[in-house]
Amino acid sequence: MTLVGELVRSVPPESTQQVVGYPSLFLLVVLGSLVPVVPTGALVSSAAVVAFHHTAPFALLMVFAVASCAAFLGDVGLYALGRRGSHSPLGSRWLARLRGRASPERLARAQHRLREHGVLVLVLSRLVPAGRIPVMLACLLAAMPLRRFIRGDLPACLAWAATYQLIGLLSGSLFRSAWQGVAMAIALTMVLGAAPAVWRRIRPLRGEGGS
């Protein structure tokens, strides 16, 4: 927590943040959409906390616009690479990585929901932790055209950015110091990210207890 506090207190003036911060947020969210090495939800929530504590006009709107656009471009880029999987070496590597990141059970559930609800599943997949890749892979295996994927993914990215920005606003409003709000936002996103895995472990135990 002390390290986070020092980092936030050493943040440059708002004019410098706008020049450096927004492009950095954009690039990191795009990267996190392509490769799951960056906690994009925590990034957006933390950026919203910082924007909440600063007086720059439209700062929160900029965070929302940058995050949603970056997530959308990352998703479309990943989907386009996946569609090229059978036509180019680069696409085949990306498609193989996608397959490796989705268990057969989760993929089967995503395919079932896609058949039942169509592109509406994309919106929920962006909001459910670790739900995006199985649904995207299901769309690829169903040979969904890129234009149709885009129509479903655009509202998904808008809803995703709004959700994590609301987490940041809530965290920022609870504390007077920005670093405390950032720490709270990161903790909340970590809890949300871990919740599905915890539930999957608890559910069989509850079933055994009730039998």
Side-chain angles (χ1 to χ4, degrees), residues 17-105:
Q17 290 179 50
Q18 294 172 16
V19 173
V20 178
Y22 295 138
S24 299
L25 177 64
F26 180 86
L27 292 174
L28 288 171
V29 172
V30 170
L31 176 63
S33 298
L34 291 171
V35 184
V37 296
V38 179
T40 52
L43 277 174
V44 175
S45 296
S46 299
V49 171
V50 176
F52 177 81
H53 280 275
H54 290 169
T55 58
F58 308 115
L60 287 170
L61 182 60
M62 283 296 298
V63 170
F64 173 76
V66 169
S68 55
C69 288
F72 176 71
L73 289 178
D75 282 358
V76 171
L78 185 59
Y79 192 77
L81 285 169
R83 280 178 58 84
R84 294 177 58 189
S86 58
H87 305 292
S88 70
L90 178 60
S92 62
R93 287 197 295 270
W94 280 100
L95 185 57
R97 290 180 182 178
L98 282 177
R99 286 180 178 274
R101 287 156 56 185
S103 66
E105 295 80 9

Side-chain angles (χ1 to χ4, degrees), residues 159-185:
W160 172 83
T163 299
Y164 280 97
Q165 186 161 16
L166 285 175
I167 293 174
L169 287 173
L170 173 64
S171 302
S173 64
L174 293 176
F175 301 97
R176 297 183 61 182
S177 299
W179 74 267
Q180 293 174 315
V182 168
M184 172 62 76

Side-chain angles (χ1 to χ4, degrees), residues 16 28 107 142 152:
T16 305
L28 288 171
L107 176 58

